Amino acid sequence: MTVVSTTPNSPGAAPTSGATILVVEDDEPIRDAVVRGLGLHGYDVNGAGDAEAALATVGRRRPDLLVLDIGLPGMSGIELCERLRSVGVDVPILMLSARDQVGDRVAGLHAGADDYLVKPFALDELLARVQALLRRARATAASTEVVVAGPLWIDVDRRRATVDGSHLDLSRREFDLLAVLAANPDIVLGRIRLLELVWGYDFEVDTNVVDVFVGYLRRKLDAAGAPRMIDTVRGVGFVLRPGRV
Amino acid sequence: MRLATRTALAAFIAASLTLLLAGAIFQGRLADVLQDRVDAQLEDRAESAPILAAIAERLGRSELAATVAPARVVVGDAVVPGGVIELGDLPESPLPAPDGPGWTTFTADGERWRLYAIEVVDVPDVGDRALVQLVEPLGDVDREAGVLRRRFLAAGVFVSFAAGAAGWLLGAIAARPLTRLRRDTASLREGDPAAWQVGDRYGTPEVDDVAAALNINLRRLSDETVRRDRALDAARAFAASASHELRTPLQSALTNLDIARSERASADERIPAIEHAHDQVQRMAASLTAVRALADAEFADPAWFEPTDLVEVIDRIVADERRRYPLATIELVEVGDGLAAEGSVTAWRDGVQLAVGNVVRNALVHGGDHPHVIIEVRGSDVIVDDDGPGVPAADRDRLVGRFAKGERSTGSGLGLAIAAEVTAGHGGRLMLDDSPLGGLRVVVRLAGD
């Protein structure tokens, strides 16, 4: 394994207020309250009641972050997320879901969302995630490095990852996770540390996004013909072992 | 115990008992028959006894021995010393003492003997009287009887076991329809409850009757299972909808309260936030009430039904709604023979009030700017017309569903679903149609068609 260059992987402290956020939620009282709540903290917030309105808004002016309800009437939040990702909208997307929509939540992450929040949630929880995701988005945009680990070649600057020369099609968050794991070879990274490094969550958070995304990464690496590199260390976290080829 | 084992055991016991009884009777008779033979010989010999006795003294004993023996002639001391003439092979043990004529059986030399004593009177030269004791060993007879007994016993054991085996075989054959029925029943465990049936012909009327009774119960069970599965699905869907219906206002109230307590919020922002939160909590309360009403409607108790004056019930609704919607025109019309007013409709009064109330409020919410609503009572039908935009035919079924809301709806989305459940509880139904007023017509039918 060769590290061509490294930069410290700590969340940047870039200010996030003033960022534009689009809240897509069909229930007007919720949408209205979330728009006002985020607005109170200095964000420039717009609301959309359905997927079509959201697409129209994104088309006019791309927001810095989307808060997206999974249960939209007509085109669902998952479909909207997929559509946005497929047209190259790579801003952070935070899904809102109900507790009984576990399957939908995972589908949302699979469709390219960065994280989800279970209703009912406190405004503080939403704010913390919004801030972290915005900071991370800016921080990763600024980093430049190339990491090589076994058959893996990760060009952080161009956001390109290859296995033995063949391209890996990764979502933004999958790419960041893989880059962090590859930059710390043979070092076990706990879930909290990964949430901090990849999602920018420097606060207590109740989520299983790390496990879900590690699962996606394993599947994609396996499909690309890479050996199994990401191990689970029970009770601790995950580790990438490049040398085991 | 298996059926075949039972029949085998029964056949074995029956055969054994029969043979034992036959054996008991036969054995007694056998001994009699065999002994009769000996007795006849003794009687034959007895015929010549007097002559024998008379010539006993004159003839040589050896000659007598050949015809009479074995026998003992008791003649008295005067004739011969000791008074006894012994002829032939008598047992070594002494014979029973001479105590008059008749039959006796005695044991001597390890076997049984038969003795026939006859008295001979006026015997010349011998004296007045003599007693002739003719004897015959019963050893051969007893041996013969023993052989026969052993043969009979062996034959009896064989016959009993053969009967048992035949019983097992017949039992197995007789149980075959039952075995088939059992196999058919066992295979029911898997598969679609709707297909839970066994055959109807098993070859014997008794088993066919059991199968028919079983099929009736299976049909009942499968109907019940299908109904239960459907109810469970409906309950799950309902729980999901209800939880969504409650979570949504809860989320909104929570966020508004978070805004209200935020240090960043100004008084101008706080007060509307608290008002929003209050509205949402009320929305939750209304949803809870509606969910409760729906459950009541769904499981209406027959005891709640009583003769009800529909017009009176609806008149109260009209009075309430006129107060709530002062700009609306609400008319109540009674059509027909006035039976409804006389209370000839058996109905669940609170349910009817809930159902018609929901339909009327629905009409008022979706009616024109100054809504015009006509309520017509026709027998056990309550027909509600409004002058709103109406509902496209394709959308009507959905609107009767749970948590379905129209464009202008502010309620729980359960109003028409509750009305539909109430009508179903009366054996009737809820029908949506075009209204002559231009809007929607809802027929609340409180009786079967």
CSV table of all heavy atoms in Angstrom, one decimal, chain B residues 289-317:
chain,number,residue,atom,x,y,z
B,289,THR,N,-59.9,10.9,18.7
B,289,THR,CA,-61.4,10.8,18.8
B,289,THR,C,-62.0,10.0,17.6
B,289,THR,O,-62.8,9.1,17.8
B,289,THR,CB,-62.1,12.1,18.9
B,289,THR,OG1,-61.4,12.9,19.9
B,289,THR,CG2,-63.6,12.0,19.3
B,290,ALA,N,-61.5,10.4,16.5
B,290,ALA,CA,-62.0,9.7,15.2
B,290,ALA,C,-61.6,8.3,15.2
B,290,ALA,O,-62.4,7.4,14.8
B,290,ALA,CB,-61.5,10.5,14.0
B,291,VAL,N,-60.4,8.0,15.6
B,291,VAL,CA,-59.9,6.6,15.6
B,291,VAL,C,-60.8,5.8,16.5
B,291,VAL,O,-61.2,4.6,16.2
B,291,VAL,CB,-58.4,6.5,16.0
B,291,VAL,CG1,-58.0,5.1,16.4
B,291,VAL,CG2,-57.5,7.0,14.9
B,292,ARG,N,-61.1,6.3,17.7
B,292,ARG,CA,-61.9,5.7,18.7
B,292,ARG,C,-63.3,5.4,18.1
B,292,ARG,O,-63.9,4.3,18.2
B,292,ARG,CB,-62.0,6.5,19.9
B,292,ARG,CG,-62.9,6.0,21.0
B,292,ARG,CD,-62.3,4.7,21.5
B,292,ARG,NE,-63.4,3.8,21.7
B,292,ARG,CZ,-63.6,3.1,22.9
B,292,ARG,NH1,-62.7,3.2,23.8
B,292,ARG,NH2,-64.5,2.2,23.0
B,293,ALA,N,-63.9,6.4,17.4
B,293,ALA,CA,-65.2,6.3,16.8
B,293,ALA,C,-65.2,5.2,15.8
B,293,ALA,O,-66.1,4.5,15.6
B,293,ALA,CB,-65.6,7.7,16.2
B,294,LEU,N,-64.1,5.2,15.0
B,294,LEU,CA,-64.0,4.2,13.9
B,294,LEU,C,-64.0,2.8,14.5
B,294,LEU,O,-64.7,1.9,14.0
B,294,LEU,CB,-62.7,4.4,13.1
B,294,LEU,CG,-62.6,3.4,11.9
B,294,LEU,CD1,-63.6,3.7,10.9
B,294,LEU,CD2,-61.2,3.6,11.3
B,295,ALA,N,-63.3,2.6,15.6
B,295,ALA,CA,-63.2,1.3,16.3
B,295,ALA,C,-64.6,0.9,16.8
B,295,ALA,O,-65.1,-0.2,16.6
B,295,ALA,CB,-62.2,1.3,17.4
B,296,ASP,N,-65.3,1.9,17.4
B,296,ASP,CA,-66.7,1.6,17.8
B,296,ASP,C,-67.6,1.2,16.7
B,296,ASP,O,-68.4,0.3,16.8
B,296,ASP,CB,-67.3,2.9,18.5
B,296,ASP,CG,-66.9,3.1,19.9
B,296,ASP,OD1,-66.3,2.1,20.4
B,296,ASP,OD2,-67.1,4.1,20.5
B,297,ALA,N,-67.5,1.9,15.5
B,297,ALA,CA,-68.3,1.7,14.4
B,297,ALA,C,-68.0,0.3,13.8
B,297,ALA,O,-68.9,-0.5,13.4
B,297,ALA,CB,-68.1,2.7,13.3
B,298,GLU,N,-66.8,-0.1,13.9
B,298,GLU,CA,-66.3,-1.3,13.3
B,298,GLU,C,-66.9,-2.5,14.1
B,298,GLU,O,-67.2,-3.6,13.6
B,298,GLU,CB,-64.8,-1.4,13.2
B,298,GLU,CG,-64.3,-2.3,12.2
B,298,GLU,CD,-62.8,-2.1,12.0
B,298,GLU,OE1,-62.2,-1.3,12.8
B,298,GLU,OE2,-62.2,-2.8,11.2
B,299,PHE,N,-66.9,-2.3,15.4
B,299,PHE,CA,-67.3,-3.4,16.3
B,299,PHE,C,-68.6,-3.1,17.0
B,299,PHE,O,-68.7,-3.3,18.2
B,299,PHE,CB,-66.2,-3.8,17.3
B,299,PHE,CG,-64.9,-4.1,16.6
B,299,PHE,CD1,-63.8,-3.2,16.6
B,299,PHE,CD2,-64.7,-5.3,16.0
B,299,PHE,CE1,-62.6,-3.5,16.0
B,299,PHE,CE2,-63.5,-5.6,15.3
B,299,PHE,CZ,-62.5,-4.7,15.3
B,300,ALA,N,-69.5,-2.5,16.3
B,300,ALA,CA,-70.8,-2.1,16.9
B,300,ALA,C,-71.5,-3.3,17.5
B,300,ALA,O,-71.6,-4.4,16.9
B,300,ALA,CB,-71.7,-1.5,15.8
B,301,ASP,N,-72.0,-3.2,18.8
B,301,ASP,CA,-72.6,-4.2,19.5
B,301,ASP,C,-74.1,-4.3,19.1
B,301,ASP,O,-74.8,-3.2,19.1
B,301,ASP,CB,-72.5,-3.9,21.0
B,301,ASP,CG,-72.9,-5.0,21.9
B,301,ASP,OD1,-73.8,-5.8,21.5
B,301,ASP,OD2,-72.3,-5.2,23.0
B,302,PRO,N,-74.6,-5.5,18.8
B,302,PRO,CA,-76.1,-5.6,18.5
B,302,PRO,C,-77.0,-5.0,19.5
B,302,PRO,O,-78.1,-4.5,19.3
B,302,PRO,CB,-76.3,-7.1,18.3
B,302,PRO,CG,-74.9,-7.7,18.1
B,302,PRO,CD,-74.0,-6.7,18.7
B,303,ALA,N,-76.5,-5.0,20.8
B,303,ALA,CA,-77.3,-4.5,21.9
B,303,ALA,C,-77.5,-3.0,21.8
B,303,ALA,O,-78.4,-2.4,22.4
B,303,ALA,CB,-76.7,-4.8,23.2
B,304,TRP,N,-76.7,-2.3,21.0
B,304,TRP,CA,-76.9,-0.9,20.8
B,304,TRP,C,-78.0,-0.5,19.9
B,304,TRP,O,-78.4,0.7,19.8
B,304,TRP,CB,-75.6,-0.2,20.3
B,304,TRP,CG,-74.4,-0.4,21.2
B,304,TRP,CD1,-74.3,-0.8,22.5
B,304,TRP,CD2,-73.0,-0.3,20.8
B,304,TRP,NE1,-73.1,-0.9,22.9
B,304,TRP,CE2,-72.2,-0.6,21.9
B,304,TRP,CE3,-72.3,0.1,19.6
B,304,TRP,CZ2,-70.8,-0.5,21.9
B,304,TRP,CZ3,-70.9,0.1,19.6
B,304,TRP,CH2,-70.2,-0.2,20.8
B,305,PHE,N,-78.5,-1.4,19.2
B,305,PHE,CA,-79.5,-1.2,18.2
B,305,PHE,C,-80.9,-1.1,18.8
B,305,PHE,O,-81.3,-2.0,19.6
B,305,PHE,CB,-79.5,-2.2,17.0
B,305,PHE,CG,-78.3,-2.1,16.1
B,305,PHE,CD1,-77.0,-2.3,16.6
B,305,PHE,CD2,-78.4,-1.6,14.8
B,305,PHE,CE1,-75.9,-2.2,15.8
B,305,PHE,CE2,-77.3,-1.5,14.0
B,305,PHE,CZ,-76.1,-1.7,14.5
B,306,GLU,N,-81.7,-0.1,18.4
B,306,GLU,CA,-83.0,0.1,19.0
B,306,GLU,C,-83.9,0.8,18.0
B,306,GLU,O,-83.4,1.5,17.1
B,306,GLU,CB,-82.9,0.9,20.3
B,306,GLU,CG,-82.3,2.2,20.1
B,306,GLU,CD,-82.0,3.0,21.4
B,306,GLU,OE1,-82.4,2.5,22.4
B,306,GLU,OE2,-81.4,4.1,21.3
B,307,PRO,N,-85.2,0.7,18.1
B,307,PRO,CA,-86.1,1.5,17.2
B,307,PRO,C,-85.7,3.0,17.4
B,307,PRO,O,-85.7,3.5,18.5
B,307,PRO,CB,-87.5,1.2,17.8
B,307,PRO,CG,-87.4,0.0,18.5
B,307,PRO,CD,-86.0,-0.1,19.1
B,308,THR,N,-85.5,3.6,16.2
B,308,THR,CA,-84.9,4.9,16.3
B,308,THR,C,-85.7,5.9,15.3
B,308,THR,O,-86.1,5.5,14.2
B,308,THR,CB,-83.4,4.9,15.8
B,308,THR,OG1,-82.7,4.0,16.6
B,308,THR,CG2,-82.8,6.3,15.9
B,309,ASP,N,-86.0,7.1,15.8
B,309,ASP,CA,-86.6,8.1,15.0
B,309,ASP,C,-85.5,8.8,14.2
B,309,ASP,O,-84.8,9.7,14.8
B,309,ASP,CB,-87.4,9.0,15.9
B,309,ASP,CG,-88.2,10.1,15.0
B,309,ASP,OD1,-87.8,10.3,13.9
B,309,ASP,OD2,-89.1,10.6,15.6
B,310,LEU,N,-85.3,8.4,13.0
B,310,LEU,CA,-84.2,9.0,12.2
B,310,LEU,C,-84.3,10.5,12.1
B,310,LEU,O,-83.3,11.3,12.2
B,310,LEU,CB,-84.1,8.4,10.8
B,310,LEU,CG,-83.5,7.0,10.6
B,310,LEU,CD1,-83.5,6.6,9.2
B,310,LEU,CD2,-82.1,7.0,11.2
B,311,VAL,N,-85.5,11.0,11.8
B,311,VAL,CA,-85.7,12.4,11.6
B,311,VAL,C,-85.3,13.2,12.8
B,311,VAL,O,-84.6,14.3,12.7
B,311,VAL,CB,-87.2,12.7,11.2
B,311,VAL,CG1,-87.4,14.2,11.1
B,311,VAL,CG2,-87.5,12.0,9.9
B,312,GLU,N,-85.6,12.7,14.0
B,312,GLU,CA,-85.3,13.4,15.2
B,312,GLU,C,-83.8,13.5,15.4
B,312,GLU,O,-83.2,14.5,15.7
B,312,GLU,CB,-85.9,12.6,16.4
B,312,GLU,CG,-85.7,13.3,17.7
B,312,GLU,CD,-85.9,12.3,18.9
B,312,GLU,OE1,-86.9,11.7,19.0
B,312,GLU,OE2,-84.9,12.2,19.7
B,313,VAL,N,-83.1,12.3,15.1
B,313,VAL,CA,-81.6,12.3,15.2
B,313,VAL,C,-81.0,13.3,14.3
B,313,VAL,O,-80.1,14.1,14.7
B,313,VAL,CB,-81.1,10.9,14.9
B,313,VAL,CG1,-79.6,10.9,14.9
B,313,VAL,CG2,-81.6,9.9,16.0
B,314,ILE,N,-81.5,13.4,13.1
B,314,ILE,CA,-80.9,14.2,12.1
B,314,ILE,C,-81.2,15.7,12.3
B,314,ILE,O,-80.4,16.6,12.1
B,314,ILE,CB,-81.3,13.8,10.7
B,314,ILE,CG1,-80.7,12.4,10.4
B,314,ILE,CG2,-80.9,14.8,9.6
B,314,ILE,CD1,-81.3,11.6,9.3
B,315,ASP,N,-82.4,15.9,12.9
B,315,ASP,CA,-82.8,17.3,13.2
B,315,ASP,C,-81.8,17.9,14.2
B,315,ASP,O,-81.5,19.1,14.1
B,315,ASP,CB,-84.2,17.3,13.8
B,315,ASP,CG,-84.8,18.6,13.8
B,315,ASP,OD1,-84.8,19.3,12.7
B,315,ASP,OD2,-85.4,19.1,14.9
B,316,ARG,N,-81.3,17.1,15.1
B,316,ARG,CA,-80.3,17.6,16.1
B,316,ARG,C,-79.0,18.0,15.4
B,316,ARG,O,-78.4,19.0,15.6
B,316,ARG,CB,-80.0,16.6,17.1
B,316,ARG,CG,-80.5,17.0,18.5
B,316,ARG,CD,-80.1,16.0,19.5
B,316,ARG,NE,-78.7,15.9,19.7
B,316,ARG,CZ,-78.1,14.8,20.4
B,316,ARG,NH1,-78.8,13.9,20.8
B,316,ARG,NH2,-76.8,14.8,20.6
B,317,ILE,N,-78.6,17.2,14.4
B,317,ILE,CA,-77.4,17.4,13.6
B,317,ILE,C,-77.6,18.8,12.9
B,317,ILE,O,-76.7,19.6,12.9
B,317,ILE,CB,-77.1,16.3,12.6
B,317,ILE,CG1,-76.9,15.0,13.4
B,317,ILE,CG2,-75.9,16.7,11.7
B,317,ILE,CD1,-76.8,13.8,12.5
